Amino acid sequence: MKLFVIATFFAVTAAAPSSYKPEYKAPSYPAPSYPEPKYPTPSYLTPAYPASAYPTPSYNKDNKYADITITSQSDERNLDGSSQWSYAQSDYTTREESQVQKKMQGVTYDSYGKESYGEVLGNTNKGSSYWVSPEGQKFTLTWTADEAGFQPKGDHLPVTPVHVYELPVAPVHIPFNGKGYKIY
């Protein structure tokens, strides 16, 4: 019961209005006024560029490449990572390429830099180009790039010569006695 009376006394004193009024009032100051800054008006000099060492290109009707235009173009990107694109020009130049993602064996690295050998996703590309040289020679180039590397093919590419010769035969072993003398 005593505890109840003491708790009630503290509750009443805490809820009673306070007669304390602060006598201190925070001072107020007027906003400072500064004079408007006066900056000098900038004066910019026009830079003097040296004369060009090369003549300005002129694109007139004498330019034999001025009339080349793209006659067809396609670009397809698929959600599985594969894609294919191609274009053709009015000078009969063409190019087409396709890419497919493929699982192959390779080296992977974890977040600590440790390498492991396993299955990785890689790209395999196939493509071809066709063009006519300024001399009128026709070129066709096809290529494949996969886990075996880049493999271009074309009639105009140099071919490694094939050497046809007999391999040298190693001499017959002649036993030695350990002192440099032949044993017969």
Side-chain angles (χ1 to χ4, degrees):
M1 178 75 171
K2 288 182 189 179
L3 184 60
F4 178 71
V5 172
I6 293 173
T8 307
F9 173 75
F10 282 124
V12 169
T13 57
S18 174
S19 63
Y20 174 75
K21 303 247 187 221
E23 295 296 322
Y24 178 77
K25 185 175 180 185
S28 64
Y29 299 103
S33 62
Y34 298 107
E36 188 70 29
K38 295 182 181 176
Y39 299 110
T41 305
S43 62
Y44 299 106
L45 298 175
T46 305
Y49 295 110
S52 175
Y54 303 103
T56 306
S58 61
Y59 299 103
N60 55 21
K61 292 186 178 186
D62 295 336
N63 186 354
K64 66 179 182 177
Y65 300 112
D67 298 328
I68 298 175
T69 58
I70 304 272
T71 57
S72 70
Q73 180 177 0
S74 70
D75 190 0
E76 181 182 330
R77 311 287 171 157
N78 301 321
L79 294 175
D80 64 353
S82 64
S83 65
Q84 60 186 22
W85 59 269
S86 65
Y87 69 85
Q89 295 178 343
S90 59
D91 66 345
Y92 304 109
T93 299
T94 62
R95 178 152 181 203
E96 58 187 39
E97 188 168 342
S98 64
Q99 167 192 329
V100 177
Q101 285 195 336
K102 177 181 172 183
K103 288 184 181 180
M104 52 184 78
Q105 296 296 317
V107 178
T108 60
Y109 297 92
D110 64 5
S111 58
Y112 298 106
K114 181 181 177 186
E115 66 179 46
S116 61
Y117 193 76
E119 206 171 68
V120 295
L121 279 178
N123 291 337
T124 61
N125 292 32
K126 292 181 181 181
S128 67
S129 291
Y130 173 81
W131 70 97
V132 180
S133 72
E135 294 81 24
Q137 187 176 2
K138 298 175 182 176
F139 293 99
T140 301
L141 175 68
T142 59
W143 67 89
T144 302
D146 54 12
E147 62 270 7
F150 181 72
Q151 303 136 29
K153 294 177 185 165
D155 294 335
H156 63 287
L157 295 177
V159 179
T160 306
V162 178
H163 296 286
V164 180
Y165 55 88
E166 288 187 34
L167 292 174
V169 178
V172 178
H173 176 70
I174 301 173
F176 287 89
N177 64 358
K179 296 181 184 175
Y181 300 109
K182 295 179 187 176
I183 301 174
Y184 291 105

